[in-house]
Amino acid sequence: MPAPVPRQRAIPAAESGQAPAAAPSKGSAQDSAETRTAAPHTAAATSENGATDRTGTAPDRSETAAHTNVTLLLIENDPGGSPIVPDLLDQSGKPIRVRTARNLTEAERLLTDDVHCILLDLALPAPGRAGDGDELAVLKHVLELAPRHAVLALTGADDTERGAEAVRVGAQDYLVRDELDGRLLSRAIRYAVERKRSDSAERRLAEGRVRAQENRRLERGLLPTPLLDGSSLRFAARYRPGRSRALLGGDFYDVVRTPDGTVHAMIGDVCGHGPDEAALGVELRIAWRALTLAGLCGDQLLGTLQEVLEHERPDDEIFATLCTVDIAPDGRRAGLCLAGHPSPLVARPGTPARLLPHDNNGPALGLLPHARWPRTQVELGAEWSLMLYTDGLIEGRVGDTGERLGQDGMVEMIRRQLSAGLSGEELLRTAVNEVRDLNGGELTDDVAVLLLDRGV
């Protein structure tokens, strides 16, 4: 028996639509009794090594490969008997090369990447006991063996129902043995290859949609749900990831109210924009919520978060900026901690919006071991709006000058929008959209903004 032909199934020709690669030279394993070429108006002949060739001469493999675009693998019950495959031409008029196999073992050996289509005789016995009670066991075996190849089922005139069932199981079409002619079979091969290619593309597209939907559901589940039950503060947030078609980026935020009535708000930014940074941002947010509910705040909380970051980050160069605010139960005072993060903006009736003090800004998390983050006490008053944001809101460009919006430009923009009567979700939506418009298109960095309001 000839030596097995190595199988490389990464990109089947039936799926890629490429012409078959050059075949091994004459005398190789594939120059066996299972290889032949169909061409018009020729008689069958036998070469020195017994190869059946429908052109009338022993096939030269390199020459055949150069002149054929399509290869058919015929798996029939008795290839030594009357030939069932007539002369074949492809759509461009070139001869279709035909390989024949007497059983599934030979078929598996001959099923290389340059095979475009399989013509399977349904009368072929199934291997072992796999066919017990199943008339299509041989087809199912071939479909498992060649999941990415086009398959045509061959049946008798009195067994067309089994042919139709073969299509339902997974074959691209079925043909009746007694009705075969060159034109019908050539057309059926082209149709089967194109249908398989279309089905494969549609399946990949559907699988991509499912994965995208699953990713969106996962990302939505990772976005925070504020815990503000019992608080009179109003909450709004806006989030726009910089990654294309993503819902979650490296920015993160959260708001919780502890049993003593204190409202804790946080916003942060992991350097980078990929899925690893997004995952790390989620870990830091969850850790912040757990530590806050456990009673930690200020320097102690940020120090513990830095330990979490150092253990979870994929690279020692990764760092994260953070801003935390804890608002007293009466709503008039707040403690502010900054870890390399932009200072929040506060707006009060009759007073222009301004940034909170940021003189005690500590280093970003993950930069300096044993760092400290001072807590600054700020007076908010009876009625106010407090906006926390990430640097994606202030680092967008302004027109064609290349100049960035910056904190001063952001403050002026918010002042103008507040003067126009905007508040809550509408204010944040307008602010993010204006920053994007000033940039001349989508922002490349993640943007997160949250707003807490206290009325009288």
Side-chain angles (χ1 to χ4, degrees):
M1 178 178 291
V5 176
R7 298 172 59 202
Q8 298 177 351
R9 302 292 302 282
I11 308 176
E15 203 168 326
S16 66
Q18 298 177 352
S25 63
K26 187 175 180 180
S28 69
Q30 282 183 280
D31 285 321
S32 65
E34 292 84 21
T35 305
R36 65 192 184 191
T37 302
H41 312 301
T42 58
T46 303
S47 66
E48 294 177 353
N49 62 3
T52 303
D53 185 345
R54 298 291 294 280
T55 63
T57 59
D60 181 274
R61 300 299 299 271
S62 59
E63 182 179 352
T64 301
H67 290 82
T68 59
N69 289 328
V70 178
T71 299
L72 174 71
L73 174 59
L74 169 63
I75 312 174
E76 62 172 318
N77 195 26
D78 185 16
S82 300
I84 63 171
V85 175
D87 299 331
L88 300 177
L89 296 176
D90 65 13
Q91 195 169 10
S92 62
K94 295 180 180 179
I96 294 177
R97 188 170 67 177
V98 179
R99 296 177 185 169
T100 62
R102 295 181 294 270
N103 51 53
L104 296 179
T105 301
E106 291 183 0
E108 184 172 3
R109 177 171 57 81
L110 295 173
L111 189 60
T112 53
D113 284 349
D114 58 341
V115 172
H116 294 75
C117 185
I118 298 171
L119 179 59
L120 173 65
D121 186 357
L122 294 181
L124 193 73
R129 298 177 57 87
D132 291 353
D134 189 348
E135 293 184 341
L136 295 176
V138 65
L139 171 64
K140 294 175 182 178
H141 186 85
V142 169
L143 292 175
E144 292 178 1
L145 184 66
R148 293 173 292 183
H149 285 73
V151 177
L152 290 170
L154 185 65
T155 185
D158 57 348
D159 204 11
T160 56
E161 290 186 5
R162 183 159 63 153
E165 182 68 10
V167 174
R168 189 192 68 79
V169 168
Q172 273 59 61
D173 202 351
Y174 77 93
L175 300 169
V176 177
R177 179 189 298 265
D178 297 338
E179 298 176 359
L180 278 184
D181 60 44
R183 179 176 297 180
L184 173 63
L185 183 53
S186 298
R187 185 170 64 246
I189 292 171
R190 292 197 300 270
Y191 168 78
V193 170
E194 292 301 324
R195 180 175 177 182
K196 184 64 178 182
R197 183 182 293 116
S198 176
D199 290 346
S200 298
E202 186 176 349
R203 183 184 66 255
R204 289 193 298 269
L205 182 61
E207 291 171 351
R209 290 194 185 110
V210 170
R211 284 195 298 269
Q213 291 170 358
E214 291 174 347
N215 289 340
R216 290 190 182 98
R217 285 195 294 269
L218 175 62
E219 289 179 325
R220 289 191 187 100
L222 294 175
L223 290 173
T225 301
L227 300 179
L228 284 173
D229 291 346
S231 173
S232 61
L233 300 183
R234 296 185 297 272
F235 168 84
R238 195 77 175 169
Y239 195 100
R240 183 190 294 272
R243 287 188 299 138
S244 175
R245 294 178 296 196
L247 295 178
L248 199 63
D251 290 4
F252 54 99
Y253 67 87
D254 206 351
V255 178
V256 299
R257 180 176 183 267
T258 49
D260 64 355
T262 302
V263 172
H264 303 260
M266 170 272 289
I267 196 164
D269 182 3
V270 177
C271 67
H273 313 292
D276 290 339
E277 289 76 13
L280 183 56
V282 171
E283 292 181 73
L284 292 175
R285 179 187 68 77
I286 294 173
W288 177 88
R289 174 175 285 200
L291 294 169
T292 299
L293 293 175
L296 275 68
C297 66
D299 190 73
Q300 186 181 13
L301 186 150
L302 291 176
T304 308
L305 279 181
Q306 173 157 283
E307 291 185 30
V308 173
L309 172 65
E310 290 171 347
H311 286 295
E312 297 297 331
R313 61 186 175 184
D315 187 281
D316 290 343
E317 302 298 321
I318 299 295
F319 64 90
T321 65
L322 196 70
C323 167
T324 67
V325 176
D326 55 278
I327 302 168
D330 63 6
R332 292 178 171 270
R333 299 175 309 280
L336 170 66
C337 287
L338 296 174
H341 200 87
S343 183
L345 178 147
V346 64
R348 303 184 184 92
T351 304
R354 64 178 180 84
L355 298 176
L356 290 180
H358 49 83
D359 297 337
N360 289 330
N361 195 339
L365 302 181
L367 289 184
L368 299 176
H370 313 298
R372 304 298 298 271
W373 296 272
R375 180 177 178 272
T376 302
Q377 186 77 18
V378 295
E379 295 293 328
L380 296 177
E383 186 176 358
W384 47 265
S385 295
L386 186 65
M387 189 178 85
L388 284 66
Y389 54 93
T390 57
D391 59 8
L393 188 69
I394 60 177
E395 291 189 348
R397 305 291 179 176
V398 180
D400 298 330
T401 63
E403 182 183 355
R404 297 188 184 276
L405 176 64
Q407 285 183 290
D408 292 340
M410 184 268 296
V411 170
E412 291 299 324
M413 179 186 70
I414 296 298
R415 285 176 178 176
R416 174 167 37 82
Q417 292 168 353
L418 288 170
S419 299
L422 302 182
S423 63
E425 291 277 1
E426 186 180 12
L427 172 65
L428 299 187
R429 181 174 61 253
T430 302
V432 172
N433 288 341
E434 182 170 335
V435 169
R436 183 188 59 188
D437 293 341
L438 289 172
N439 189 61
E442 289 295 339
L443 301 166
T444 57
D445 198 3
D446 305 326
V447 177
V449 193
L450 69 85
L451 188 68
L452 291 169
D453 291 305
R454 182 177 189 268
V456 295

